[in-house]
Amino acid sequence: MAFIVVIALSWIPRNLSFLRETAPTNFIASILLGVFGFAFGSMLARAARLSQPMVRSVTLETGIQNAPLAIAVVVLNFAAEDHQAILAVIALYALFIVFTSALVTLGFRLTHVQEP
């Protein structure tokens, strides 16, 4: 966990100009992408009547998704001059998902209930 936080926090100073130039709506979209993913995964897992450990797993996996895959799709399919604009939400998502998934995991740990 500490290693992931160090990597995420070291990314910020190296990309400060990018963060300053990015529209606030991109920040909101990148955070909500993970939050809605967690909520959607949790609702589907509960609707499928999965066990509590499975609900937690589906919730986290659905919220986290795969930022490297999204980056590869953009890099391989769009012109280089468009990369920065397109990758803004993905880069921010990759940064913020570390923190939002940590919060979701902490919430699961605080509300952990033993199954019969």
Side-chain angles (χ1 to χ4, degrees), residues 17-95:
S17 63
F18 163 73
L19 293 170
R20 287 184 181 141
E21 295 167 6
T22 301
T25 53
N26 286 341
F27 285 92
I28 294 167
S30 64
I31 293 169
L32 291 180
L33 182 61
V35 170
F36 285 135
F38 293 135
F40 185 69
S42 178
M43 287 187 301
L44 285 179
R46 292 175 196 281
R49 298 177 187 251
L50 298 179
S51 66
Q52 199 55 30
M54 292 297 290
V55 168
R56 289 191 297 267
S57 294
V58 170
T59 298
L60 285 169
E61 286 299 325
T62 306
I64 292 171
Q65 295 302 314
N66 199 340
L69 176 61
I71 291 168
V73 168
V74 170
V75 169
L76 294 172
N77 291 291
F78 292 93
E81 58 271 6
D82 297 330
H83 286 178
Q84 184 70 18
I86 297 169
L87 289 174
V89 171
I90 299 168
L92 292 172
Y93 167 78
L95 174 66

